[in-house]
């Protein structure tokens, strides 16, 4: 009987890990499966007896015995930071998620619909839905965003799901020869020509859920911070320059 190189490597890695670590990961994976979460990675967290768990729905914290799940934010009371002029404790969940979000957005660079600022200072990613009122308001102010030096990269987030009518419309937009023209039309209720192709709409939707998008527009700043809701260009440039 022969083993491939990958199989031998996997056996070596497994044999080198503490048995308790393997047991804890198994318990955590089993526990989270009960609430519909698929575990991608389990690693130690800054908290004693608690692991940080990356899942298909983002980052969670869980006791090493797989019993207690922390689904919300975790605040570090020894480390504080300035957020919009206020001193607040560091949000550990946001801090750990930010670089992961930046990496995943970079992987979608060729699948976004970009409105590029002539004199680019910042790049923001926006999960959008053409049927969303505040998404339309943001889009109507695109000239102000671009003038302020803010490049906007759209990702698809049909709030009613990929299989919905707006989900199908967004597939038409991403498959259009003129994607920006199709997006412009959709934002003002003009007809979007039907076109189908391999498209990233489902991937974007899953990414939005992973990041924690619950509504649109959802803006991701260059550092991976999520800003929910509409913000005018003037306020956005202040937010970006403050970071």
């Amino acid at each position: 009987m022969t083993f491939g190189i990958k199989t031998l490597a996997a056996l070596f890695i497994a044999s080198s890990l503490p048995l308790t670590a393997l047991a804890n990961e198994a318990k955590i994976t089993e526990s989270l499966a009960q609430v519909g979460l698929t575990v991608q990675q389990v690693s130690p967290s800054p908290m004693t007896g608690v692991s940080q768990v990356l899942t298909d729905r983002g980052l969670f914290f869980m006791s090493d015995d797989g019993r207690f799940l922390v689904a919300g934010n975790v605040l570090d009371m020894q480390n504080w930071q300035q957020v919009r002029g206020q001193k607040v404790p560091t949000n550990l969940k946001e801090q750990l998620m930010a670089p992961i979000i930046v990496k995943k957005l970079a992987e979608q660079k060729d699948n976004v619909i970009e409105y590029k600022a002539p004199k680019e200072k910042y790049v923001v990613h926006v999960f959008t839905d053409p049927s969303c009122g505040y998404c339309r308001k943001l889009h109507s102010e695109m000239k102000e965003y671009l003038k302020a030096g803010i490049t906007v990269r759209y990702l698809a987030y049909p709030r009613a799901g990929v299989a919905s009518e707006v989900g199908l419309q967004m597939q038409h937009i991403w498959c259009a020869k003129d994607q920006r023209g199709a997006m412009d039309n959709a934002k003002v209720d003009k007809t979007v020509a039907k076109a189908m192709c391999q498209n990233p709409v489902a991937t974007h939707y899953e990414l939005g859920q992973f990041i924690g998008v619950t509504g649109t527009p959802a803006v991701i700043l260059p550092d991976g911070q999520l800003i929910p809701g509409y913000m005018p260009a003037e306020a956005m440039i202040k937010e970006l320059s403050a970071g």
Side-chain angles (χ1 to χ4, degrees):
M1 183 176 182
T2 60
F3 291 90
I5 293 175
K6 289 184 178 179
T7 303
L8 288 171
L11 288 172
F12 174 78
I13 292 170
S15 65
S16 67
L17 291 174
L19 291 178
T20 53
L22 293 173
N24 290 342
E25 183 169 349
K27 288 180 180 178
I28 289 171
T29 299
E30 182 180 356
S31 292
L32 292 184
Q34 297 178 57
V35 291
L37 294 173
T38 301
V39 172
Q40 297 177 352
Q41 183 181 2
V42 178
S43 53
S45 83
M47 295 177 286
T48 304
V50 177
S51 293
Q52 58 189 58
V53 188
L54 193 64
T55 76
D56 58 335
R57 291 295 181 268
L59 184 69
F60 295 86
F61 297 94
M62 194 162 201
S63 58
D64 288 339
D65 61 4
R67 179 178 178 183
F68 297 104
L69 171 66
V70 180
N73 294 322
V74 174
L75 304 182
D76 185 345
M77 301 304 293
Q78 291 187 359
N79 292 297
W80 292 62
Q81 60 184 3
Q82 291 288 333
V83 176
R84 298 173 189 169
Q86 292 186 330
K87 189 176 180 182
V88 297
T90 298
N91 187 323
L92 185 60
K93 183 175 181 178
E94 288 184 356
Q95 184 183 62
L96 294 171
M97 272 291 286
I100 299 172
I101 292 172
V102 170
K103 180 177 182 295
K104 287 187 174 292
L105 289 175
E107 293 170 354
Q108 293 301 314
K109 183 177 180 181
D110 296 332
N111 295 322
V112 299
I113 296 178
E114 182 178 80
Y115 289 75
K116 188 173 181 62
K119 296 181 180 179
E120 182 180 281
K121 297 177 182 177
Y122 304 101
V123 176
V124 298
H125 290 78
V126 180
F127 285 89
T128 193
D129 177 331
S131 68
C132 152
Y134 279 107
C135 293
R136 292 183 175 189
K137 183 169 179 58
L138 188 155
H139 194 77
S140 72
E141 298 172 10
M142 186 63 70
K143 288 182 179 179
E144 285 80 0
Y145 267 73
L146 302 184
K147 187 177 179 180
I150 305 172
T151 289
V152 175
R153 291 177 180 169
Y154 277 138
L155 296 99
Y157 195 82
R159 294 168 298 164
V162 177
S164 66
E165 184 177 344
V166 71
L168 182 60
Q169 181 191 49
M170 297 194 87
Q171 293 181 63
H172 295 328
I173 293 171
W174 255 264
C175 291
K177 290 183 179 179
D178 179 6
Q179 292 178 323
R180 291 201 302 179
M183 181 67 79
D184 293 342
N185 284 341
K187 295 286 188 178
V188 292
D189 266 344
K190 289 185 179 179
T191 301
V192 175
K194 294 181 180 180
M196 290 304 295
C197 64
Q198 284 191 328
N199 63 79
V201 173
T203 299
H204 287 179
Y205 185 73
E206 290 174 4
L207 177 57
Q209 291 187 316
F210 171 84
I211 290 173
V213 173
T214 56
T216 54
V219 182
I220 312 296
L221 302 185
D223 63 359
Q225 180 184 354
L226 168 64
I227 303 293
Y230 158 80
M231 188 179 288
E234 185 179 354
M236 182 61 71
I237 201 69
K238 288 182 180 178
E239 185 76 36
L240 289 164
S241 59

